[in-house]
Amino acid sequence: MQIQLNGENTQVTATNLTDLVAELGLEQRMIAIERNMEVVPKSEYTATVLEKDDRIELVHMIGGG
Amino acid sequence: MSDVFKVGTYEFASRLIVGSGKYKDFETTKLATEASDAEMITVAVRRVNITDMGKENLLDYIDPKKYTILPNTAGCFNAEDAVRTLRLAREAGGWDLVKLEVLGDTETLYPNVVETIKAAETLVAEDFQVMVYTNDDPIVARRLEEVGCVAVMPLGNPIGSGRGLANPFNIRVIKQRANVPIVVDAGIGTASDAAKALELGADAVLINTAIAEAKDECMMARAMRDAVRAGRGAYLAGRMPKRAFASASSPTDGYIWD
């Protein structure tokens, strides 16, 4: 399925957010996900089913002042 | 005597807040942060690079259990992006104490205060504890306090400029009229700038570039730590008055020629 992941059209096999995090190998990272402009709590990752052309933002913390 | 730095529901012994940007590597970030004795460190929120994630992450070096992580909204130019960014940060780490900065211009990085106030109102309504970067404008500082920000952080000079305090008088005026902590954020270039900010009454300083771009980052981190302590001590001690003319330090009688 094609989704828009961090601004790029991306093909993924995952069908929910738990699987997407695993597919990207980010299980150990402190991340957050926004789906179509709404933040998704971690507790809802599995229940959040991906739909074609979903806009997913996946962020982490980096150095900054 | 305990001299606690209180921000919202948080309490700190250190009055030095550090940034984590611009370091040459994570190891230096960690060592300089340790050397600074800071307890609070800012971080930025960015997209994960899906195609090149790298093996390591900042938070592998800066332990969120040891430090209070202060997510920022650096790079945001409107209220909506700033609010989205901090909602994501709170979800990522559970952090409610945040640094709001909404910029107005890429060259000066001066704050857009209209958008800053708008974002602050939304964030306060969503129970964030907002430390807000702003101009050294006493009217805007008071407005941000009224909106419910837990700390107001006027700039000393533009971000990353290292030019010290452009308007010390305004920092003092902002502090005198404030009921929330005042943190000088941006512009500190060297230890004396930090000491000066605390002497003026600022409750803390936020420093990134001055440490990260020093030739010896850890040595500068220690210098900043000491300067902040010295400035705070001088402020609490209460400085002597300035006089127009000399006032002899030795007794003016009992001379051998009298």
Side-chain angles (χ1 to χ4, degrees):
Chain A
M1 177 171 37
Q2 178 169 293
I3 59 170
Q4 198 183 95
L5 180 58
N6 286 354
E8 301 285 338
N9 287 326
T10 309
Q11 288 292 333
V12 296
T13 55
T15 54
N16 64 46
L17 291 184
T18 300
D19 293 347
L20 180 66
V21 170
E23 185 174 336
L24 297 170
L26 292 171
E27 299 98 322
Q28 305 303 318
R29 288 280 180 94
M30 200 174 263
I31 56 160
I33 300 178
E34 189 186 67
R35 175 174 178 251
N36 301 330
M37 304 289 283
E38 295 286 333
V39 175
V40 183
K42 287 179 190 66
S43 56
E44 292 174 22
Y45 280 4
T46 304
T48 303
V49 176
L50 285 169
E51 289 177 28
K52 186 174 178 301
D53 297 328
D54 267 354
R55 283 192 298 154
I56 303 293
E57 292 294 337
L58 206 155
V59 302
H60 65 158
M61 304 304 133
I62 64 162
Chain B
M1 187 183 79
S2 73
D3 177 33
V4 178
F5 172 41
K6 291 183 186 168
V7 188
T9 58
Y10 292 75
E11 293 190 352
F12 303 95
S14 171
R15 290 173 180 274
L16 172 57
I17 305 167
V18 293
S20 59
K22 294 184 177 171
Y23 282 99
K24 60 183 178 234
D25 53 42
F26 289 140
E27 184 64 19
T28 310
T29 315
K30 174 187 156 93
L31 293 174
T33 304
E34 284 170 359
S36 75
D37 267 359
E39 297 161 289
M40 195 180 343
I41 181 165
T42 62
V43 300
V45 181
R46 289 291 182 276
R47 284 173 167 167
V48 175
N49 185 341
I50 302 297
T51 52
D52 178 21
M53 282 187 280
K55 291 186 182 63
E56 293 178 317
N57 182 263
L58 173 69
L59 297 180
D60 298 332
Y61 287 80
I62 300 294
D63 184 357
K65 291 190 195 74
K66 185 175 162 198
Y67 293 98
T68 297
I69 303 293
L70 190 67
N72 72 22
T73 59
C76 291
F77 287 83
N78 60 63
E80 188 193 359
D81 289 346
V83 170
R84 281 176 70 195
T85 298
L86 292 176
R87 284 175 182 156
L88 281 164
R90 180 159 67 178
E91 171 53 30
W95 307 302
D96 67 336
L97 186 66
V98 295
K99 172 180 165 176
L100 171 65
E101 60 177 292
V102 184
L103 305 176
D105 170 307
T106 53
E107 191 170 38
T108 64
L109 299 182
Y110 276 133
N112 178 332
V113 295
V114 176
E115 291 293 309
T116 301
I117 291 167
K118 214 158 83 178
E121 286 169 342
T122 305
L123 292 165
V124 168
E126 294 184 15
D127 295 325
F128 283 92
Q129 301 196 54
V130 181
M131 301 178 72
V132 60
Y133 167 70
T134 184
N135 275 320
D136 56 0
D137 179 335
I139 307 300
V140 172
R142 179 165 276 187
R143 178 83 188 105
L144 289 164
E145 178 180 331
E146 287 165 0
V147 163
C149 294
V150 297
V152 175
M153 307 203 289
L155 54 80
N157 246 311
I159 294 167
S161 69
R163 298 209 309 254
L165 307 179
N167 199 337
F169 178 75
N170 275 27
I171 301 296
R172 178 171 284 165
V173 170
I174 289 170
K175 173 57 192 175
Q176 282 173 347
R177 292 154 43 99
N179 300 300
V180 294
I182 299 301
V183 179
V184 172
D185 179 4
I188 302 290
T190 189
S192 55
D193 298 333
K196 181 80 178 168
L198 275 286
E199 285 175 15
L200 286 168
D203 296 276
V205 286
L206 199 165
I207 303 175
N208 189 347
T209 310
I211 296 173
E213 283 190 1
K215 287 200 180 86
D216 185 326
E217 301 89 344
C218 290
M219 192 181 280
M220 185 58 86
R222 283 189 291 274
M224 291 300 189
R225 172 198 69 192
D226 294 344
V228 166
R229 287 179 186 163
R232 179 66 179 174
Y235 172 73
L236 292 177
R239 61 153 296 147
M240 60 163 284
K242 291 183 183 178
R243 299 187 178 93
F245 296 100
S247 167
S249 301
S250 304
T252 52
D253 57 4
Y255 295 120
I256 53 172
W257 54 86
D258 278 344

